[in-house]
Amino acid sequence: MKSGRIILGLDPGTNLMGFGIIKKSGEKLKAIQYGVIKMNKEKNHLIKLKIIFDSVNSLIDEFNPNEISIESPFFGKNVQSMLKLGRAQGVAMLAGEIKKIKITEYAPKKIKQSVTGNGNASKEQLSEMVKNILNLDIKKNDKLDATDALGAAICHFYQKSSNQSPKKSWKEYVISNPEKLI
């Protein structure tokens, strides 16, 4: 991936939607902005979808990302929750598609595997690794949706980087990326 590429990561939800924007700065990834869009007080589902659409559009207009990385819904037991989550994801994707931005979906396990090395990592473990990679000092756990979104963006960066550069051995990777070790 070329220097200067901006990736918008999204962790869609109908009560909380995490977002994170990263950019490659020199040899390191840098968080440009991250946060959580809270919709839990809104009762009308259509209004929540409009908030998601408008929020993603605002992020695109403000930060001009080259690509969007979005966490795909995980399969749960509650069909209604899955339906609402799928709608939220679809609305977020539509906002990017209208602006002609390439969108890539990643399963939660893929994001966790890519960022932490463990596809079964907890949200807290993913958050700690994201904070380490991006050198962030986030103290509150209420930003887990934001670090999930940053994780989606980091995963996309790693996937694109590994597909566009020659494969390195683990030893070469560790030597050239000491800041990524815990």
Side-chain angles (χ1 to χ4, degrees):
M1 187 171 290
K2 296 176 185 172
S3 181
R5 300 288 290 177
I6 297 172
I7 303 169
L8 168 59
L10 296 171
D11 179 27
T14 55
N15 287 322
L16 300 171
M17 182 178 82
F19 67 90
I21 301 153
I22 64 170
K23 179 178 182 177
K24 184 175 180 194
S25 179
E27 290 302 310
K28 295 189 177 199
L29 290 176
K30 179 181 177 186
I32 298 174
Q33 184 66 271
Y34 56 91
V36 177
I37 297 160
K38 296 179 180 181
M39 299 164 282
N40 45 346
K41 293 185 180 176
E42 177 58 56
K43 300 296 179 209
N44 185 320
H45 188 66
L46 288 175
I47 299 297
K48 288 182 180 191
L49 294 176
K50 183 173 181 347
I51 291 168
I52 292 167
F53 183 81
D54 291 344
S55 297
V56 173
N57 268 321
S58 292
L59 290 167
I60 290 168
D61 290 343
E62 183 174 353
F63 297 101
N64 198 26
N66 305 94
E67 297 174 79
I68 295 174
S69 174
I70 190 165
E71 185 175 305
S72 60
F74 58 92
F75 297 99
K77 294 179 183 178
N78 186 327
V79 176
Q80 278 302 107
S81 293
M82 285 297 300
L83 179 61
K84 288 178 181 177
L85 191 57
R87 288 176 180 163
Q89 182 194 30
V91 167
M93 292 171 76
L94 178 62
E97 178 61 27
I98 287 171
K99 304 276 186 165
K100 305 282 188 232
I101 299 172
K102 183 175 177 1
I103 302 163
T104 306
E105 291 180 74
Y106 294 99
K109 280 187 177 256
K110 179 68 174 180
I111 293 169
K112 291 174 182 178
Q113 176 66 41
S114 181
V115 177
T116 70
N118 176 3
N120 294 314
S122 67
K123 286 176 84 77
E124 292 79 12
Q125 289 170 318
L126 177 66
S127 179
E128 287 304 312
M129 188 59 96
V130 165
K131 290 189 287 187
N132 185 36
I133 291 167
L134 298 174
N135 195 27
L136 298 175
D137 186 24
I138 304 171
K139 302 233 187 279
K140 295 182 180 178
N141 278 345
D142 64 357
K143 296 283 189 198
L144 290 176
D145 293 287
T147 53
D148 281 357
L150 286 166
I154 293 168
C155 171
H156 184 69
F157 175 81
Y158 287 167
Q159 296 303 307
K160 286 295 197 175
S161 295
S162 66
N163 289 338
Q164 293 180 1
S165 61
K167 299 287 183 193
K168 291 183 179 180
S169 70
W170 276 110
K171 183 177 178 181
E172 289 174 292
Y173 178 80
V174 169
I175 290 168
S176 61
N177 296 283
E179 75 282 357
K180 294 183 182 170
L181 300 176
I182 295 177

